[in-house]
Amino acid sequence: MNYQNIISKNHNSTSIITVNRPNKLNALNKDTIQELHDAFDTANKDKNIKVIIVTGGGDKAFVAGADISEFAHFNAEEGKLLAANGQQLLFDFVENLSTPVIAAINGFALGGGLELAMACHFRVASDNAKMGLPEVSLGVIPGYGGTQRLPQLIGKGRAMELIMTAGMIDANQALSYGLVNHVASQEDLLPLCEKLAIKISRNSPVAIAAAIKSINANYKDGVDGYNVEINAFGNAFGTKDFKEGTSAFLEKRKADFSGE
């Protein structure tokens, strides 16, 4: 598929999706959100892809926010639709993918950029990265899940402060907050993410998908995450991966998972 705003490449069992609008600091516009959805969907359906990495083109930004020029003239109803459609098409979509998604934050991750990173299953940042949700400085609030996911990741008080001050934190502070899992130099960022992807890809894709679903269930209103876990645990016993994994353990060999 030909994309105008992103680059999607496969390397071994990993899909690397790059937001490629460096002249706009990789800001998210409607077309970019659609292309990201398509690329994530394609990678998730490819049985050869075990992990997805998303990053930004250039050396300045992961995604520096939404493209403000696209919605500055919107009214209230148009604003609601913007948030609802974006969440459904990209942010919630990424969070609920069965393929693990790693955000490689290689610079500014602001507004919609940080919201995209937070929708990923975990995050790794370069040492020059800056993160924040500055929406209140524009007279609006985060609309792509930021008010929900940031408190989940760093706690209510820190999220309140970061959102209300419209401030930014650096990579090391993000690490201390638990917003990112690792910090690396810019040149080591993608190699580290690929190393983590290799570790993930050695394990059962079926089990990983079930683990993602179970973990996410804890954060959904009206859903009993423990019950989701119990059912997913039980269902695992009926998979080929469970038979292969347990057999490999007992036979003292490496498992060769089929993803079934």
Side-chain angles (χ1 to χ4, degrees), residues 200-242:
I200 292 169
S201 66
R202 292 171 182 158
N203 301 313
S204 161
V206 176
I208 287 172
I212 291 170
K213 183 178 180 181
S214 298
I215 293 167
N216 283 343
N218 182 56
Y219 298 97
K220 298 185 185 297
D221 288 340
V223 177
D224 184 342
Y226 290 99
N227 192 51
V228 173
E229 180 186 275
I230 288 167
N231 287 323
F233 177 79
N235 290 338
F237 283 70
T239 66
K240 290 182 180 178
D241 276 4
F242 173 75

Side-chain angles (χ1 to χ4, degrees), residues 129-132 154 162 167-175 177 179:
K130 303 283 187 182
M131 286 155 264
I154 71 172
L162 196 59
M168 288 190 295
I169 58 174
D170 63 21
N172 288 324
Q173 194 168 4
L175 181 65
Y177 280 5
L179 183 55

